Amino acid sequence: MLQAEGAGECLRRNIPFVIYALPGDEECRFMASLPDAGGESHARMEGEGDCFFISRFASDEPYMAGVTDEMDEEALVDFLAEHPDTMYDGCDERPYLTSTRRVSYDEAFHMMTRRLKKDGGKVVLSRHEALFGTADIIDTARSYFSLSPNTLRYLCFTPENGVWLGATPELLLEAVPGSGELHTMALAGTRPAGVSGVEWDDKNMLEHEVVVRFITDVLRSHDLEVTTDPITELEAGIVTHLCTPITARGEIKSAGRIINDLNPTPAVAGWPRQLAIAEIDAYETHQRRCYSGITGVRQGGVLMVFVNLRCAFAAQARIDEVTGWVYNLYAGGGLMPDSVLDEEWAETERKLAALYACIESPVTSSPGTSPGPVTVNPTEARFLY
């Protein structure tokens, strides 16, 4: 309960904070830290102390936004008791008030696949859904976390990126100091969960192989010995992904440099990478912001970095005199030369479903009492910061 109260105070006062749980952990951890004199909230992947960090897709920012372990929930209560008037500036960005239009998605699909049929490669096309829900975002987060125990689950605020909620299954890199070993995974290829006894199609297998090859090439470029485990399946809600665990061993001079070379992988951008990013910039009608960027923690010296999937950007707003939260839910899929339009759209719907359901039915709502999420009316929405 104290974590929820701390998060609520941080949201009201724009204090950088995070509630997170690592894959397999039942209990969440709370951290909060004050912004610096310039209103920024920095975290370093490599260094001393524990921290949480989150960055944008294909980011070239000079620093990583995040939260350090300056205060736990009890220390925050003590700080606010001594400084009751504490208030900081919020994030300048707001969620979109309209969803990606199907006609825009279709046009981007046709432009991308036309080039892929000619030249080959892969491009990841994403979209977003704009929704308004009246439940407290902390209750929504608690409900969402309960559905995905084997993911990195988090609710955070930084002044650079605003409020983000996510439960991501994709490990980009895990590094234990002094072990001479890194762990990562190739996570690409998607189909509905519950399919058994049916081989994966060529499109998904080829998409997966592109990611495996890219990751192993990057790790070998850092003079590491790379081992790939057999392909397995990883269930994430109502979808199943192809997953290849990968281990690298050797002298690890800089985990940060390896992460920079890996990010973004073809699983969220495409291949060739720079061409794919250019097409994403040209044809997607929204900014991805932190979706498909990286997020993670340094905890007890162990660095765990994830690709930021199954996530949403949120801000408090009023619509028709009702206070709630506007969410932008993000999802995407890898396009190959033989991709089918309606199948790709349906894949994004499946990826959005779990978080959508939590906004619709938060754990604190009795049956029939929650109006659920609604499509945002841009002429009626008023953000509260």
Side-chain angles (χ1 to χ4, degrees):
M1 188 63 182
L2 193 57
Q3 287 187 352
E5 293 174 358
E9 287 296 327
C10 288
L11 288 168
R12 281 188 285 275
R13 301 166 185 266
N14 297 318
I15 296 174
F17 83 97
V18 65
I19 295 175
Y20 75 88
L22 291 171
D25 287 354
E26 295 183 2
E27 300 295 326
C28 292
R29 180 179 180 182
F30 174 94
M31 294 192 300
S33 54
L34 302 181
D36 62 22
E40 297 177 340
S41 184
H42 295 201
R44 297 183 181 276
M45 289 189 294
E46 297 179 287
E48 299 295 327
D50 293 356
C51 70
F52 168 89
F53 46 84
I54 183 168
S55 76
R56 296 171 180 253
F57 170 70
S59 173
D60 59 358
E61 297 165 339
Y63 72 92
M64 190 85 71
V67 182
T68 66
D69 61 347
E70 181 179 338
M71 294 181 284
D72 61 13
E73 51 268 59
E74 294 180 354
L76 176 70
V77 169
D78 293 340
F79 171 81
L80 293 178
E82 297 176 6
H83 306 85
D85 298 325
T86 296
M87 181 70 70
Y88 295 97
D89 293 334
C91 178
D92 292 334
E93 288 188 289
R94 306 289 189 273
Y96 296 108
L97 294 175
T98 55
S99 303
T100 301
R101 298 169 63 218
R102 178 62 194 263
V103 66
S104 299
Y105 180 92
D106 290 0
E107 182 178 358
F109 175 92
H110 290 305
M111 294 295 290
M112 289 175 171
T113 54
R114 183 181 306 162
R115 199 270 304 166
L116 292 172
K117 291 179 188 298
K118 183 179 65 172
D119 300 330
K122 172 185 174 179
V123 183
V124 177
L125 175 61
S126 72
R127 69 181 182 94
H128 74 279
E129 192 79 19
L131 298 172
F132 178 73
T134 56
D136 188 289
I137 194 171
I138 300 169
D139 294 329
T140 298
R142 184 183 296 117
S143 177
Y144 192 39
F145 290 1
S146 70
L147 297 178
S148 307
N150 294 318
T151 64
L152 171 68
R153 292 141 286 162
Y154 71 89
L155 172 67
C156 73
F157 166 79
T158 64
E160 295 86 347
N161 298 322
V163 177
W164 281 82
L165 165 64
T168 176
E170 184 170 354
L171 177 70
L172 183 67
L173 185 142
E174 179 181 4
V176 178
S179 68
E181 191 169 281
L182 299 175
H183 297 278
T184 182
M185 65 170 61
L187 192 72
T190 305
R191 69 182 184 187
V195 177
S196 60
V198 179
E199 292 187 358
W200 286 76
D201 59 33
D202 291 342
K203 180 263 183 186
N204 279 291
M205 292 300 297
L206 180 57
E207 180 184 348
H208 185 77
E209 289 169 8
V210 169
V211 180
V212 173
R213 186 166 56 249
F214 170 81
I215 292 175
T216 55
D217 286 349
V218 167
L219 294 174
R220 286 175 178 139
S221 74
H222 286 265
D223 299 322
L224 299 174
E225 180 183 341
V226 180
T227 303
T228 58
D229 291 351
I231 295 178
T232 183
E233 295 182 353
L234 188 152
E235 289 200 9
I238 64 173
V239 298
T240 299
H241 300 292
L242 286 170
C243 177
T244 296
I246 300 171
T247 302
R249 297 178 178 87
E251 183 183 358
I252 301 166
K253 299 176 183 177
S254 171
R257 287 183 59 192
I258 295 173
I259 292 166
N260 288 338
D261 289 346
L262 287 172
N263 176 51
T265 74
V268 292
W271 185 258
R273 182 163 61 177
Q274 292 309 313
L275 176 58
I277 292 172
E279 290 190 332
I280 289 168
D281 288 341
Y283 299 131
E284 289 189 352
T285 56
H286 58 277
Q287 292 293 317
R288 292 189 177 190
R289 296 169 173 154
C290 293
Y291 164 68
S292 67
I294 60 173
T295 187
V297 301
R298 187 179 66 246
Q299 179 175 294
V302 178
L303 182 64
M304 297 191 69
V305 185
F306 293 79
V307 181
N308 194 23
L309 306 177
R310 311 296 189 272
C311 59
F313 177 39
Q316 201 167 32
R318 288 181 67 82
I319 296 180
D320 287 337
E321 303 306 314
V322 175
T323 299
W325 289 82
V326 172
Y327 294 86
N328 285 171
L329 284 61
Y330 293 85
L335 305 188
M336 303 293 288
D338 57 349
S339 291
V340 178
L341 174 60
D342 288 344
E343 292 178 1
E344 295 298 332
W345 180 268
E347 180 179 318
T348 63
E349 289 187 321
R350 288 191 291 269
K351 290 176 176 177
L352 293 170
L355 183 49
Y356 188 105
C358 292
I359 297 172
E360 184 175 29
S361 302
V363 292
T364 54
S365 295
S366 301
T369 63
S370 173
V374 297
T375 302
V376 181
N377 186 334
T379 63
E380 298 172 349
R382 180 170 63 86
F383 288 105
L384 299 184
Y385 65 84

